[in-house]
Structure formats: structure tokens, C-alpha cells
Amino acid sequence: MTPGTECPSLPRLAFEWPTGADFSDVLTREWLVSNGRGGYAAGTVARCNTRRYHGLFIPGLEKRGRTVMLARLGEQAMVEGRKYRLDAEERADGTQVSEGATLLRGFHLDGLVPHWIYQVGEARFQRKLALVHGENTLVVVWEHLSGPEVTLRLRPFPALRMHDDKLHHTLLEPVVHLRGSRVELQATDGAPPMRMRIYSPCPAPFVSMGETSAPQFFRVEKARGYDYVETLSSPGYFECTLRPGEHLAMGVTTEAWTVLERDPVETLALEYERERRLLVRVPEEARSGVPARLVLAADQFIIDPMRPADDAWARAVGQDARSVIAGYHWFTDWGRDTMISLEGLTLCTGRPRTAAAILRTFQHYVRDGLLPNLFPEGGNEGLYHTADATLWFFHAVDRYLEHTKDYELLRDFYPTMASIIEHHQKGTRHNIRVDPADGLLSQGQEGYQLTWMDAKVDGWVVTPRRGKPVEINALWFNALRLMVEWSERLGKDPRPYAGAAEKAYASFNRRFWNAAEACLLDVVDGEDGKDDPAVRPNQVFAISLKYPVLRRDKWEPVLEKVRKELLTPVGLRSLAPAHTDYKPKYDGDLRARDAAYHQGTVWGWLIGHYVDATMKVNSDKAAARALLKGLEEHLDHAGLGQISEVFDATEPYRPRGCIAQAWSVAEALRVFLKTGVH
């Protein structure tokens, strides 16, 4: 921390229940902890797993991806001869084990660290946990606060499966190695061992007394149409008695045993210090309140991608490899999401070096003029089925330059950006090419979903949008104008880009204006040569980008149409309600959800560009700020301190999809700061 800099306090998100929590309430509130390597820990405040993705230790493992190593921890407290169950579960036979909720007196996030406060008889204690940043290590600490002594019995239930794999229906039997208060569990499929140890004021050897769980019921998985019952076995337990002022801790790692020699209380203190340093970097107005909470939320998406090929080239150029997890729990790093999120996640949070590292990481993967759409779980090679991620790359580089004035990076990137333009003009994969007749960018290949409206299930591309989509051409024009600007700065000839931009501009305004609806068509030259007049939010980008492609006299009617038909308190609908394909709710099995994904479902990230567009017409910050109220209130629900991926299109706008989405957080933070929120 810079000498003389005042140390900011960490934002707190707190819930108190003087007589115990309501199980149904705390079962729907989820917490998330991440480690900067793609790994995470996650669960419900109730301590009851409702998803296959819930677990205390889910590290990202090289060549494998994220793996549920420790699915849950059975916790029992004994006070004055009485036993209390602290964790919770729902069983396949319908039984709810929820005593722990009645004992819960408080839950809060201090920064990103979750705390549970329990009243067990006359004893009161707290439990907190953290992952070591940059390392696959978990620490959980229990601290006795007051009252009689408490004996805690801790029973680990390993899963040792990929986080999105099918659930265990037959018992997993890892090899167990015991070393006093240490235990090592080795799966039989070549995964690294999971190592655990206890830190305690009294001897706490591991007791080898196995136990099989009742079949666990994961309600969210059932609602989403997946398998939803899992049976796990525990090889034994740790037990220790605590008096007031004492603490017990557990360390879990896939690293060497030596990492568990650290003091776990100090490890927690270092995590608090790391988070305070994140707040020191940001502008004064982002160090408290909602912006501070979003600054910390943003940190959970920035990762070292853990790809050996990345490490090799990064070392060669003296650069860190960095990327962005698009969403928790199941997304990996996606090109489109990363480029849209870059400004909010890194530049608005005072992390320009990280921004440059992310840009250089993706520059390294440009192929045939395209940025990767995504990297598969545990994979090293990107998939390139996207028409817009590459164009968002231009936007992200521009935002980086605007914040940093790092024109050395521009010199390095210019040949790459010029090559991208050339590939698009000549034609590249998936029929992504400029139509020489009008200078507009066309795309589309049977069986592929190439725009951000990319739902596909069982070979069905829900919104193919083949042809010339409105936002693709808004982004194309923006990229051409940026090339003019960058060429002039570097002493290059801007005329080829200026000519292409002029042609695209004239064609766009002639082809996309829908006079009958006083807004923009969503796609021109689409299926069978037809235009698509669906009212969608994609038209906002024709105004919001740095170089708007839409003529100024059309801005107000477009924004009025979007306001009337698409705007909600938590973002923009993906389709107007009057359309025959409109779906008001995003729920059910995969096919039902994908059918609604871009057919009405609200996307929080779109509020950022809607605010940008409206502020070009009306600079009233108070009015723009009011558009963010719903997302601010949402921070107390679903993924606590985070912003969900999507929402239902009608009241009460129930959060859906991922509980934490990078571009939702990034765009909310960016426009919170832009509108002067304190």
C-alpha cells in the first residue's frame, strides 16, 4: 500500500436473524469465493448444496478444468452434552435437515470473505473461509466467541468429479493416506491428491470411521432438467474442543504439503489485506458503497488461465497471461464477454497492467482474423465460432488506450488489427465477410450461432440471425473508424479504412431504418434474403459505441422504442413482448431455457450501453443513475454481492442463469461511476 494512503474499510453485506434464519430464505441466497485461477468455492447461506457446482473446494486443475474436490463438510457441534447439526441437506426422499438455519444468527460478507455466526445453546461462534489467491488452497476457520466450550466434529465428503460432470450414483472410494492430523485422498483417475490438515489447540487426529451420505437432492439441478441426486462417502472425521477465544482451522490443498504450514488466521488476514489493496487502486468515489462492492465482485472474474501454452509465450515476452471467467459457475473464459467486460473489470478498477495482459493474451490467439469465442473447460485451444468477439476487441483496445495513453501497445497491436480488417474484407471462417455491394458485414453458417444471441440446443440454433445483424455492423463501422484514428496517430495511411467506413455508414442508414416502427431492423439480408424487423436491444449499439453508425436524427426514436418495449429495472429484454416468439420466463430444462434465452429474457449487461446511448441524448446523470436502482437492490439476492447473468422478462424479474456474470458486473460498475454514484 502506498505510504500515506488511507486504508479503506471493506464493504460489508450483512444479514441478521435474532431468533434464527428461515431455511427457505437462506437456501436461495448464494455465496462465492474465487482464487484467481478459475477455481472457486460456492454454496448457499443455509450450508445446503442445491447445485452440482456447490462445494467448499473446486480448484481449476491443469488439463482437467474445475473439479469438485470437497463437496461439503458435515459439521456437528456438541455443547453441554447436546449435539447440534450446523450444515444442512435436502435428501432425495424429501427430508430436509435444516437445524443449522435455526442456529444461524448472522451471515455477512466482509469484502469477499463469508462469515457465519451461530448460537449453539449458550455458546456463540463464527465460521469463515477463504481461498488463497493464485493457489489451489482453502482455509476454513472456526472461532469460539463466548459461552461454554464447544466440541466440533468435521466430516469431509469428497466428490473428486468435474464440476459439470454427472453426479455420483455409486460410491466413490479414493485411496486414503493418514498422517496424524493430516489426511490425503487420491482419486483413481490421475487427478492430483487432495490434502487436508487441522490446526487446533488440542490434538485432533483424523478418525477413520467411514460414513455414507443419504442421497442428496439438488433442487436447482432438477429445475434445470439435469440429474439431481448424488451419494457421497466420507472416510472419517476430525474432532476438537474449543474454549472461548480459541479457534480451529482446516486447510485443504492440491498443492504440496508445505503450503499448509502457514498460519490459517494469517492467511485470512492476508486475503483481507489483498482486498483492501484493490480498493486503494480505484477512484475515491469507488471505495465505498455499491461501487466498492462491485470493485471486489469484479476481481472474482480475473484469472490466470492456467494453460501451459500461455505460460510459455508470456514468459517469452515478459508478460503475465490473464483472462476473464465469463460467469460462475459454469462458464470458462470467452472472448466476447472478456472484451465487453474489460473496461469495467480492469480499467475502472485501477488495473491497467491486468487489462494489457488480457489484451495480449487474446491477441496471441487471433487466427484467420478472429478472436476465440471460448476456451473449453480444461482445454488449450480456442473455438472460433463468433462474428462479434473480434469486433469487440477493437472496442476493448480503444477503451484501454483512452484510460492509459499506452500507445506502445497500439504500435504492437496495429498489424494484428489491420490483419483482422483485411480478413473480414476478403472473407474468413463461417462466411464472415464484407459484402462488396454495400460494404456491410455479413455472417452465418448452418448449424452455428455466431452473434451474442447464441443459444443452441440439440443442433437447433434458436436465433441464427444469419445475414447482416445490426450490432455486427455497428461494431464493424466502429472498428473501421478506430482504424482511421489509429492510422493517423501512427502515421499510417487512413484512407482505405475511411473509405470503407463511409460506404458502411451510408448503407447502414439506408438499409437498417424501419420507418414503420421508427427503429432499426435487427437483421438485413437474412434467411431467404428477408429482413428481420424484430425489436431487440441490438440496435442500441448503433448509438452507444464511440463512433455511432446511426444518423443523429434517428437516435431519439430508437431510444424511445427501446425504453417502451425493452427496458426493465434490471436491464433490457432481448425481444419485445409483442413478438410471437417472446418468452416471459427463463426456466425449465435446457431446451426450454435456450428457447427463452434471447427471446425476451432480460440481460443486465445491456444496461451499460443503454445508459451510454441515453446520455448522448440527455446528459442528466440523475436520470441515468435511476436506471441502475434495480441492479443495486439485486446485490442482496441470488449471488450475494454479485450480479446475475439474466432475469425473467416480467415482474418480479427473478434472477436466472449464472449467479455471477462478468459483463453484468463490469457494465454496472462502469456506468455507476459514469453517472457519479457515491
Side-chain angles (χ1 to χ4, degrees), residues 277-287 295 348-350:
R277 287 175 178 269
L278 294 176
L279 296 177
V280 169
R281 298 176 177 181
V282 301
E284 185 67 34
E285 61 269 24
R287 294 181 186 175
V295 167
C348 291
T349 59

Side-chain angles (χ1 to χ4, degrees), residues 262-292:
R262 296 185 295 242
D263 180 346
V265 174
E266 182 180 344
T267 297
L268 272 173
L270 289 173
E271 174 58 20
Y272 289 129
E273 175 65 14
R274 189 189 73 83
E275 293 172 18
R276 282 191 287 267
R277 287 175 178 269
L278 294 176
L279 296 177
V280 169
R281 298 176 177 181
V282 301
E284 185 67 34
E285 61 269 24
R287 294 181 186 175
S288 61
V290 171

Side-chain angles (χ1 to χ4, degrees), residues 17-209:
W17 303 283
T19 58
D22 178 86
F23 183 66
S24 62
D25 176 51
V26 291
L27 195 61
T28 60
R29 300 180 192 269
E30 302 184 50
W31 56 271
L32 170 72
V33 173
S34 63
N35 71 351
R37 291 173 64 177
Y40 63 93
T44 66
V45 172
R47 308 264 315 282
C48 174
N49 290 352
T50 61
R51 304 178 185 266
R52 72 185 62 223
Y53 302 97
H54 283 162
L56 290 179
F57 186 50
I58 308 175
L61 302 178
E62 193 173 299
K63 298 181 181 180
R64 291 175 58 89
R66 289 162 291 183
T67 305
V68 183
M69 303 294 278
L70 182 60
R72 64 188 186 90
L73 198 60
E75 294 182 31
Q76 186 182 79
M78 288 160 276
V79 180
E80 297 181 326
R82 182 179 170 185
K83 296 180 181 179
Y84 302 84
R85 176 80 179 269
L86 302 182
D87 62 309
E89 60 181 283
E90 289 190 299
R91 296 174 178 169
D93 64 4
T95 302
Q96 286 186 335
V97 180
S98 57
E99 179 189 12
T102 67
L103 304 173
L104 193 58
R105 295 297 180 266
F107 174 86
H108 57 268
L109 294 177
D110 274 358
L112 297 171
V113 176
H115 295 235
W116 290 259
I117 307 294
Y118 288 98
Q119 185 74 41
V120 183
E122 296 299 314
R124 193 174 184 89
F125 63 93
Q126 73 173 337
R127 171 189 190 268
K128 47 193 171 182
L129 63 86
L131 294 174
V132 177
H133 197 74
E135 187 177 290
N136 286 327
T137 301
L138 164 77
V139 294
V140 189
V141 176
W142 297 262
E143 182 182 0
H144 194 311
L145 300 176
S146 63
E149 67 181 23
V150 177
T151 299
L152 286 175
R153 177 174 291 183
L154 312 175
R155 178 178 286 280
F157 284 90
L160 307 181
R161 60 165 169 80
M162 299 296 292
H163 74 156
D164 52 3
D165 233 353
K166 286 189 175 295
L167 300 171
H168 290 303
H169 299 290
T170 57
L171 290 181
L172 173 75
E173 295 185 359
V175 178
V176 181
H177 300 285
L178 300 180
R179 303 179 183 181
S181 63
R182 304 181 180 206
V183 60
E184 181 176 278
L185 303 180
Q186 177 69 64
T188 57
D189 62 353
M194 179 172 70
R195 299 180 168 116
M196 299 182 290
R197 67 159 290 186
I198 285 291
Y199 310 78
S200 62
C202 62
F206 188 77
V207 179
S208 295
M209 185 176 292

Side-chain angles (χ1 to χ4, degrees), residues 452-465:
W452 81 274
M453 292 188 158
D454 59 356
K456 178 183 177 181
V457 58
D458 297 330
W460 172 39
V461 178
V462 182
T463 51
R465 304 181 74 230

